[in-house]
Amino acid sequence: MFQALISALLSLAGIGVVLAVALAVTIWRAFFTRLASVPGPAIARFTDLWYAYRIYRGSFEKDNVRLHQKYGPVVRYGVNRFSIADPQAASIIYGPASKFTKSSWYQTWGTPSSHAWSLFSDQDAKRHASNRRQYQNTYSMSSLVHYESYVDECAHLFCQRLSEMVAGTDWSRPLDMGHWLQCYAFDVIGMITYSKRIGFLDFGEDVGDVMRNLGDHLAYASVVGVYPLMHPILFRVRNWLAGSRGKGRQFIVNFTQECMAAHQATPKAQVMVPGKNYGKGEEQGQTMDFLSKFVQKHSQDPAVFTTYHVLSGCVSNMVAGSDTTSISLSAILYHVLHNPGVLTKLRGEVDQHCPQNKASPHITFAQSQGMPYLQAVIKEALRMHPATGLPLERVVPEGGATISGVFFPEGAIVGINSWVEHNNKAIFGDDTDRFNPDRWLQKDKERIGAMNRHWMPFGLGSRTCIGRHISMLEMCKLVPRLVRDYDMELCNMGQWQTKDHWFVKPENFKVLVRPRLVGDGP
Ligand code: HEM
């Protein structure tokens, strides 16, 4: 009895000591370290819960811009987390010579095991560089132009579905354009990865619950990433509760494995695109999808390109390749429809370069590259609404770093949010709030060079988006086609609602659509 009492008192004393030490460390960090003078919300000095809560609320891209408007170029948003808005910062943090690595926030984007790396979440810079080299070729622009027919097929089906849905409705039926654009982007990824549409465009719905689980993964990983120590437990508990198919990321991994098994079991789909003239050596049957390329790489060198590389490459496509592109496509359409002057100019350019032709409705990537206004519209929309909306966090390397006049010791987490960078008037001009594609067409080449260096919808440096050429191909082909062949009107002319769980996704992007008759003005 007496012994039990002593041991209980000792345990209590132990807990008390741990709490006291934690409190002392928190107070010391908040008030007595070099970084104590960095301004920000008072509560963020003491706990990262403020940041986790703000992510959960889903509008951190706006919060982040406001923080800098209130506190200046360097802002604290967590105990050891700092957001930077300074033109000099990007090259220090993400530039070619940078030794900054990804922060622990990225851990929740992978499966909790030190061996189960993913290209996006890997914090080990050496391993990442070696793995990235393995994939780089497959994602290069020169490889991707061979996939045009895959994109054409999905663009064709997308337009067919639009026409079917609005046939005879005379503007009366609003379409959930955000959803349909995600169907398009997901089916393109299916075609490129497995030579097979997953079927979103065919059914118009969330085939196999994939979109819902992707959304679940984003919400989970973005919030729990602030406290990654919880990830190994939460990941297992969530999946155990969900049953055999798993939840969030694990569900996507399982779904990917099913797609891979189906691909390996049947010969590659041979779908010919209506209206497309296939040139010599360009037949769709000759284009190798990503999975076939990965499998070939594996059989050539199984020790270097392992079966895990094959799976991980396909999972990356599924997780990173649909929301990002559909959000960017939504942003382009939203801003174009909000600005009738831009629509008129864009349509004029498209009509001139590729007039309507029912026999051959596709717009080639090469044609899209010959339309400077289209390129400026895409760039400006991705400036106004980059798909990712949280700081791209990096850890300050050994020796520390001075950024925007503040010395950050080794281990501090610093990051730039593309929403903040794209809002910087010193880089993009005084009218950053205005959708103005012409800013990319001005004569001042130096200014354009600076804007290009700070345009970061696809990130910057060694961790820049490996899939950006895929999405550019998708956007460059679909946008001019929609503008040329359809009249569209926004249903809610006010601001749209978005949710930022890493990807800043529109929630109510409703559009009225009507096929455009040849010769119609916008
Ligand atoms: C408009 C579309 C897209 C946008 C805006 C976008 C955005 C980004 C950004 C900002 C990053 C860097 C994140 C960071 O530094 O923390 C990134 C990385 C990545 N993206 Fe994309 N992405 C897009 C499309 C795609 C597609 C289509 C794929 C694959 C098919 C893809 C796969 C990846 C992968 C694997 C990474 C990690 C690369 C690495 O760390 O080496 N993305 N993306």
Side-chain angles (χ1 to χ4, degrees):
M1 171 75 185
F2 183 66
Q3 261 183 341
L5 189 65
I6 295 281
S7 102
L9 283 174
L10 281 175
S11 308
L12 275 179
I15 293 169
V17 169
V18 170
L19 286 178
V21 169
L23 187 67
V25 169
T26 307
I27 291 173
W28 176 77
R29 281 182 103 151
F31 296 110
F32 301 106
T33 58
R34 275 180 204 243
L35 294 174
S37 60
V38 177
I43 189 169
R45 278 175 190 274
F46 303 103
T47 173
D48 283 338
L49 273 177
W50 180 83
Y51 183 43
Y53 173 65
R54 288 293 169 136
I55 299 177
Y56 170 77
R57 278 199 349 179
S59 52
F60 194 74
E61 83 288 2
K62 296 186 198 84
D63 296 341
N64 209 166
V65 171
R66 279 195 289 266
L67 282 179
H68 284 289
Q69 283 164 349
K70 184 165 178 192
Y71 295 110
V74 181
V75 168
R76 173 196 295 279
Y77 62 97
V79 176
N80 190 31
R81 306 182 122 97
F82 305 90
S83 167
I84 319 284
D86 183 320
Q88 311 296 326
S91 66
I92 301 175
I93 302 173
Y94 310 105
S98 158
K99 292 201 161 41
F100 290 59
T101 51
K102 282 198 167 181
S103 77
S104 57
W105 177 81
Y106 288 89
Q107 285 173 15
T108 42
W109 296 87
T111 304
S113 150
S114 58
H115 303 297
W117 54 265
S118 83
L119 211 51
F120 175 71
S121 63
D122 205 345
Q123 291 179 265
D124 179 335
K126 220 167 144 194
R127 180 173 64 179
H128 167 266
S130 138
N131 284 327
R132 178 141 176 157
R133 270 195 299 278
Q134 302 288 335
Y135 291 108
Q136 194 73 48
N137 230 357
T138 316
Y139 290 83
S140 69
M141 195 69 234
S142 52
S143 307
L144 280 167
V145 286
H146 298 297
Y147 293 96
E148 270 210 72
S149 55
Y150 286 168
V151 182
D152 281 337
E153 180 186 325
C154 294
H156 199 73
L157 188 53
F158 179 84
C159 292
Q160 196 179 318
R161 298 309 313 268
L162 280 197
S163 301
E164 281 164 17
M165 282 184 290
V166 300
T169 57
D170 195 22
W171 294 101
S172 57
R173 186 175 165 198
L175 297 185
D176 185 346
M177 198 54 108
H179 167 74
W180 280 100
L181 288 171
Q182 191 173 7
C183 292
Y184 164 74
F186 235 135
D187 270 344
V188 171
I189 287 296
M191 286 300 295
I192 286 177
T193 314
Y194 316 108
S195 297
K196 197 163 183 283
R197 288 192 301 277
I198 294 167
F200 295 104
L201 285 170
D202 303 75
F203 297 100
E205 59 184 39
D206 182 5
V207 179
D209 228 8
V210 180
M211 289 178 182
R212 195 176 63 80
N213 274 281
L214 195 52
D216 176 86
H217 172 51
L218 294 171
Y220 166 82
S222 56
V223 175
V224 179
V226 180
Y227 290 100
L229 282 178
M230 291 160 61
H231 179 47
I233 299 167
L234 282 184
F235 183 86
R236 288 185 179 93
V237 171
R238 273 162 46 89
N239 284 304
W240 179 73
L241 289 173
S244 61
R245 290 189 63 78
K247 197 171 169 65
R249 181 183 164 83
Q250 189 55 46
F251 184 97
I252 305 289
V253 172
N254 293 340
F255 185 82
T256 306
Q257 280 172 324
E258 286 162 19
C259 292
M260 288 168 62
H263 176 278
Q264 298 302 84
T266 52
K268 220 155 53 104
Q270 302 276 317
V271 188
M272 301 307 282
V273 182
K276 169 131 176 93
N277 291 323
Y278 290 103
K280 197 161 175 269
E282 205 206 346
E283 288 91 74
Q284 196 165 14
Q286 290 185 355
T287 305
M288 258 174 109
D289 54 55
F290 274 33
L291 177 51
S292 304
K293 284 189 180 177
F294 292 159
V295 170
Q296 189 183 52
K297 259 175 102 59
H298 171 65
S299 29
Q300 281 162 357
D301 200 344
V304 174
F305 200 87
T306 62
T307 48
Y308 184 76
H309 283 84
V310 178
L311 173 65
S312 187
C314 294
V315 171
S316 282
N317 284 7
M318 301 294 280
V319 174
S322 71
D323 266 327
T324 45
T325 307
S326 61
I327 290 168
S328 304
L329 275 165
S330 300
I332 298 167
L333 277 190
Y334 176 78
H335 285 292
V336 167
L337 297 183
H338 246 297
N339 292 275
V342 172
L343 175 58
T344 308
K345 205 164 159 186
L346 179 60
R347 206 175 232 188
E349 187 182 66
V350 178
D351 282 345
Q352 194 192 342
H353 283 76
C354 16
Q356 276 192 345
N357 175 356
K358 285 222 159 58
S360 177
H362 307 299
I363 290 176
T364 66
F365 184 67
Q367 281 172 322
S368 78
Q369 297 307 293
M371 293 189 260
Y373 196 66
L374 168 70
Q375 297 305 323
V377 165
I378 294 176
K379 260 199 144 153
E380 180 67 350
L382 271 60
R383 180 193 71 79
M384 291 285 286
H385 190 115
T388 62
L390 300 177
L392 308 182
E393 289 188 343
R394 301 292 188 267
V395 180
V396 175
E398 199 182 331
T402 301
I403 307 169
S404 199
V406 176
F407 179 78
F408 292 92
E410 174 183 351
I413 293 174
V414 291
I416 299 178
N417 188 331
S418 42
W419 285 73
V420 170
E421 191 80 344
H422 290 179
N423 195 48
N424 194 321
K425 295 189 181 355
I427 303 165
F428 292 97
D430 287 336
D431 63 342
T432 49
D433 291 339
R434 194 161 74 91
F435 181 69
N436 174 20
D438 286 317
R439 82 174 75 245
W440 297 98
L441 299 169
Q442 58 183 294
K443 293 222 163 62
D444 186 345
K445 295 279 172 269
E446 222 170 280
R447 167 60 74 110
I448 292 187
M451 293 197 305
N452 274 322
R453 283 194 298 281
H454 293 274
W455 184 74
M456 49 183 290
F458 296 109
L460 290 171
S462 62
R463 305 306 291 261
T464 192
C465 176
I466 201 168
R468 64 193 181 283
H469 300 308
I470 301 180
S471 25
M472 284 311 282
L473 187 66
E474 291 180 56
M475 295 188 282
C476 287
K477 287 173 74 71
L478 188 68
V479 170
R481 191 164 167 182
L482 290 179
V483 167
R484 184 194 60 188
D485 295 347
Y486 295 92
D487 288 325
M488 287 170 278
E489 230 176 63
L490 286 175
C491 288
N492 35 354
M493 281 304 281
Q495 291 298 303
W496 63 2
Q497 269 131 42
T498 56
K499 181 133 263 173
D500 176 1
H501 281 151
W502 174 236
F503 296 154
V504 187
K505 203 168 169 178
E507 293 206 307
N508 58 339
F509 183 34
K510 298 273 170 51
V511 178
L512 295 169
V513 182
R514 181 175 72 177
R516 178 187 172 215
L517 299 174
V518 186
D520 266 10

